[in-house]
Amino acid sequence: MENKKIETERLVLTPMSVEDSPLIFELYNSPNFIKFIGDRNIKTLEDAENYIKNRFLPQMERLGYGNFLITKKDDGKKIGGVGIFERDGLDVHDIGFSFLPEFEGKGYGFESASKLLEIGFKEFGLKKVSAITTKENISSQKLIEKLGLKFQKKVRLPDDDEELLYYEIEKR
């Protein structure tokens, strides 16, 4: 999976690597990321590199999937990330996505996440995928529902007191 490239009409998805730390730094400090996903305390490029090394790479190495960099085909610009993650407190791996502010609302989320879901079921052997979001993140809720996931319940993750909306989809 290391050099696996996933292509959609407008996008290329590649496994996130340490070279992508400038994007992670910018993305994880963008206002919507902090508001809706949370502050990951990434204050420097070195913090971003360590986050990739400690959080993304181990899962990618162990399972062959995880967080993918999203790049636009037409100009090679790095615009965000989409991934299927193991997460403490969830039995089912969850799909997540985030974009730099100027690339939100352009359909890139659906394009990248629907492709990754399809591959998750076909190639990664997943039987179910979940998604979590906050009550306030209406655009994320709409995208999750557009991807075919159905609301199941409200959940709280370990060490987090915020109530989240939990969705699931089963392999068809």
Side-chain angles (χ1 to χ4, degrees):
M1 193 67 209
E2 305 279 307
N3 37 20
K4 172 137 191 183
K5 202 161 76 164
I6 300 168
E7 295 198 33
T8 67
E9 188 185 342
R10 300 179 293 168
L11 307 170
V12 179
L13 281 55
T14 50
M16 198 70 76
S17 73
V18 174
E19 290 76 54
D20 304 316
S21 56
L23 172 84
I24 292 298
F25 176 75
E26 187 180 353
L27 187 61
Y28 282 36
N29 285 295
S30 67
N32 276 351
F33 192 97
I34 290 173
K35 179 178 176 185
F36 293 129
I37 299 173
D39 187 346
R40 298 292 184 254
N41 211 22
I42 295 175
K43 304 301 178 216
T44 65
L45 277 178
E46 190 181 352
D47 290 344
E49 280 180 26
N50 288 330
Y51 197 86
I52 293 167
K53 283 181 199 162
N54 299 327
R55 298 293 294 270
F56 299 157
L57 300 185
Q59 182 187 317
M60 189 66 79
E61 284 161 18
R62 198 172 67 256
L63 300 177
Y65 58 88
N67 201 12
F68 289 83
L69 170 72
I70 304 169
T71 307
K72 285 174 60 202
K73 277 185 181 175
D74 60 1
D75 60 8
K77 188 142 182 58
K78 297 177 178 188
I79 65 169
V82 63
I84 296 178
F85 304 98
E86 279 186 315
R87 200 176 300 275
D88 286 345
L90 295 183
D91 297 332
V92 178
H93 291 182
D94 78 297
I95 190 161
F97 36 80
S98 54
F99 293 88
L100 293 173
E102 62 268 35
F103 301 105
E104 291 175 358
K106 294 183 170 31
Y108 296 132
F110 182 77
E111 189 173 326
S112 58
S114 58
K115 186 68 175 182
L116 192 57
L117 261 184
E118 178 192 320
I119 289 173
F121 288 133
K122 269 193 199 152
E123 295 179 28
F124 304 156
L126 298 172
K127 306 280 182 258
K128 258 187 198 176
V129 174
S130 69
I132 48 175
T133 192
T134 61
K135 287 190 277 267
E136 295 76 35
N137 196 344
I138 305 299
S139 61
S140 182
Q141 291 169 36
K142 286 181 179 164
L143 175 52
I144 288 166
E145 288 166 6
K146 188 176 176 185
L147 288 166
L149 287 90
K150 302 276 181 264
F151 175 75
Q152 305 291 318
K153 60 189 174 185
K154 294 177 178 166
V155 297
R156 281 190 171 83
L157 297 180
D159 305 320
D160 190 354
D161 52 6
E162 184 167 23
E163 194 172 62
L164 300 169
L165 306 179
Y166 177 86
Y167 298 78
E168 264 183 14
I169 188 172
E170 286 192 48
K171 182 178 180 177
R172 295 197 250 301

